[in-house]
Amino acid sequence: MDVYSSLYPTLLPAFAQTRPWDKYNWLLNHLDWYPGYLWSDLQGALWLLEIPPWDGNALEAFPIRRKL
């Protein structure tokens, strides 16, 4: 597996250079601010940063799980 650093976006593969890595990193580095989150909450937040943004519907085999 190849490992890349988001600190050097020009060294990333072409398909990954246009991603908002600063926003992805902020979310991952501040998870402790949001106790009780589910993995699906984090996945949804990351998908909202995509272009075009995620519309909130489940994708293929990944169901949406919400806390009650």
Side-chain angles (χ1 to χ4, degrees), residues 2-42:
D2 294 328
V3 178
Y4 298 94
S5 171
S6 61
L7 296 175
Y8 307 102
T10 57
L11 299 178
L12 293 169
F15 74 89
Q17 289 182 4
T18 59
R19 299 284 193 248
W21 292 109
D22 57 332
K23 294 176 182 176
Y24 293 158
N25 289 335
W26 189 93
L27 282 171
L28 295 171
N29 289 326
H30 292 88
L31 288 177
D32 59 325
W33 290 10
Y34 305 98
Y37 72 90
L38 300 174
W39 75 267
S40 55
D41 298 326
L42 177 60

